[in-house]
Amino acid sequence: MLKERDAPRSDGAGASDRRHDAVGATAGKGPQAAASPRSSWFLLATASATCALISLDTNIVAVSLPSIARSFHAGFADVEWVVSAYMVSFASCLLPMGGLADRYGRKKMLLSGLLVFALASLGCGLAPNVGFLNLSRAAKGVGASLLLTAALAVIANAFPGPRERARAWAVWGMTMGIATTVAPLVGGVITQWVGWRWIFLLNLPVCAVLMVCAWHSVTDSRNPHAGPVDFAGSLCFGLGLACGIWALIGAQDAGWRSPVTSLRFAACALLIAGFVAIEKRRANAVVDLSLFSQARFVAAVLGMFGYAACAQVMMTFLPLYLQNAFEWTPVHAGVGMLPFALSMIVGPYLGVRIGRHSTASTSTLPIGLALVGAGNLLTAAVAQWNAYGWVALGMIVTGLGAGVLNGDTQKAIMACVPAHRTGMAAGISTTTRFTAIAMSVGVLGAVLASRTQSAIDAAMPCGAADSAAGSACVDAGFMSDLLAGDVGHALARLAPDARRALASIAPAGFATGFAAALGVAGALAFGVALLVWLLAGRRQVDERRDVARS
């Protein structure tokens, strides 16, 4: 776990809070900070590369989703789970994994995480079917959560001085940014030229090298005062989140009003209620629920949720859109994602300029969310034009807003808690991020599916086929294949007349569905921006009232 005052100011995950975290303590050795500068910076390179591997893996898979669908003839729900299984397990395990690292040693957990990540990658690369692939993706999420919490704690332990620490986090942040930027292009190149399985199999030699580097560079450290890990609360949260995502994704086939969907939502609500009840009773809860009584903290968490649900989720949907609507290859789609990725690099500099003229620490959040909303709505408005230049412009606006939010959401959450609680706050921040992405994949996927089917139904020409055949053209199986990117399989089982008609109608229908999903994301971003702005204003009123009373 991160030492509470040492939590990173940029993207990252914390673990359960420990007031007496002896970060520098090692098993029979002095602090790791006493190592030579050269070995410390080698350690930083190892830990940063480990975190970059997670970031790369999180964003690289989206470009390969249509290829995975074609390989297994998998439906849209299966493809959604390729992303969601990883996100759900990652978000569920972030809170307890830091406690494990504190209790049993950060080096041990870092090496264990690399081993789990490597074995899960092997399972993904050799998966015989999409069900096995999704189970392996869930296992990768567990390994990734252990890697991230342990790696961040190792960095905090190795650089105790303020100046060294600032430089270390700057290097770490730059590494993460580079990984996020190149992920779509790397994913497209590997998928098209080698095959999607190598996206996962290439993790094996990388993990092996990182294990060797970690073994030689990291000195083990642990917290001798670490309390028990909150497995019960974490299990309730993880299962509740999984049931909620299951309901959202499954509703596309089962129906929103079906008993199965209702049962899954009810299970989600009961499990999350159980999590809240457990956290209220625990002395060392992984989440201090009293923080949510502060308007400023709620505003910061809402900002993180809006950023992830409306901007980061585009890393999943944009590659699908570029390949389905424009009929691009994976490499072409990866290149087409660059306006979004590169503008995310520029965004933080814009955020700094905005911050210089702001009067409150949360004032940049509504502006960033408004940019994300405007970019999403612009892209939605031009998505059906088949004009990439306009789509790229929308990507740039969304990416600028995402870049503003990327660091400021984390800083806003950290600024709301005292120094001894920042580790827990970092855990809440990153858990919120991945929970929001997983939920948004389910919601926007449902909107995409519904609107695409409606658009295809409306566009079917009278002469293409009789009404019965026309109805069969857009059945659940056809739609599932189309949305997943397996257009060839979707069209192959149709009658010749319907096949010829839908060959041109289907991409346009997907673009219509994508526009509708982006419209929802844009409206949500503006709604969250308004809430954050109102909560920030309430906080300022409360502060002025407190000053007047004193």
Side-chain angles (χ1 to χ4, degrees), residues 88 92 233-245 264 267-268 271-272:
V88 168
S92 303
S234 300
L235 183 62
C236 280
F237 176 80
L239 290 176
L241 178 60
C243 286
I245 303 304
R264 291 168 183 168
C268 171
L271 287 164
I272 295 300

Side-chain angles (χ1 to χ4, degrees), residues 37-308:
R38 182 175 180 180
S39 61
S40 293
W41 288 103
F42 180 69
L43 177 148
L44 175 62
T46 301
S48 297
T50 300
C51 294
L53 176 65
I54 299 169
S55 178
L56 192 67
D57 191 80
T58 301
N59 296 298
I60 199 174
V61 174
V63 180
S64 69
L65 291 179
S67 297
I68 292 173
R70 288 190 291 270
S71 178
F72 293 128
H73 294 311
F76 185 50
D78 295 321
V79 168
E80 286 184 287
W81 274 115
V82 174
V83 176
S84 297
Y86 179 84
M87 294 292 181
V88 168
S89 63
F90 195 175
S92 303
C93 295
L94 278 169
L95 294 174
M97 287 306 182
L100 289 177
D102 285 347
R103 194 175 183 86
Y104 298 108
R106 286 76 181 245
K107 179 176 181 177
K108 291 185 181 68
M109 293 301 102
L110 181 63
L111 293 172
S112 300
L114 283 167
L115 181 60
V116 171
F117 195 88
L119 291 176
S121 296
L122 179 62
C124 292
L126 300 180
N129 53 60
V130 72
F132 192 92
L133 173 62
N134 288 335
L135 288 175
S136 298
R137 286 284 289 168
K140 280 188 78 174
V142 175
S145 65
L146 187 51
L147 278 180
L148 187 60
T149 52
L152 292 177
V154 164
I155 294 174
N157 184 45
F159 298 90
R163 180 175 297 180
E164 288 179 324
R165 190 183 309 121
R167 291 175 62 191
W169 290 130
V171 171
W172 175 85
M174 179 186 67
T175 306
M176 294 289 282
I178 292 172
T180 302
T181 303
V182 303
L185 182 57
V186 172
V189 169
I190 295 174
T191 299
Q192 184 171 332
W193 293 350
V194 187
W196 65 264
R197 293 181 182 275
W198 286 96
I199 284 178
F200 306 109
L201 294 176
L202 287 175
N203 286 334
L204 297 176
V206 175
C207 287
V209 171
L210 289 174
M211 288 181 74
V212 172
C213 293
W215 179 268
H216 290 289
S217 65
V218 178
T219 302
D220 203 8
S221 64
R222 62 172 57 88
N223 177 10
H225 304 290
V229 179
D230 183 11
F231 284 115
S234 300
L235 183 62
C236 280
F237 176 80
L239 290 176
L241 178 60
C243 286
I245 303 304
W246 192 14
L248 290 170
I249 294 177
Q252 298 166 36
D253 294 327
W256 288 96
R257 297 182 180 179
S258 69
V260 173
T261 301
S262 300
L263 183 62
R264 291 168 183 168
F265 276 125
C268 171
L270 287 174
L271 287 164
I272 295 300
F275 167 72
V276 172
I278 290 171
E279 296 309 293
K280 285 183 176 180
R281 291 198 305 266
R282 288 187 64 90
N284 294 316
V286 292
V287 176
D288 183 358
L289 297 177
S290 66
L291 287 171
F292 289 91
S293 63
Q294 304 175 21
R296 184 185 180 193
F297 184 78
V298 174
V301 172
L302 278 174
M304 174 62 81
F305 184 91
Y307 159 55

Side-chain angles (χ1 to χ4, degrees), residues 495-509:
D497 288 343
R499 186 184 306 142
R500 283 192 293 270
L502 283 167
S504 59
I505 290 172

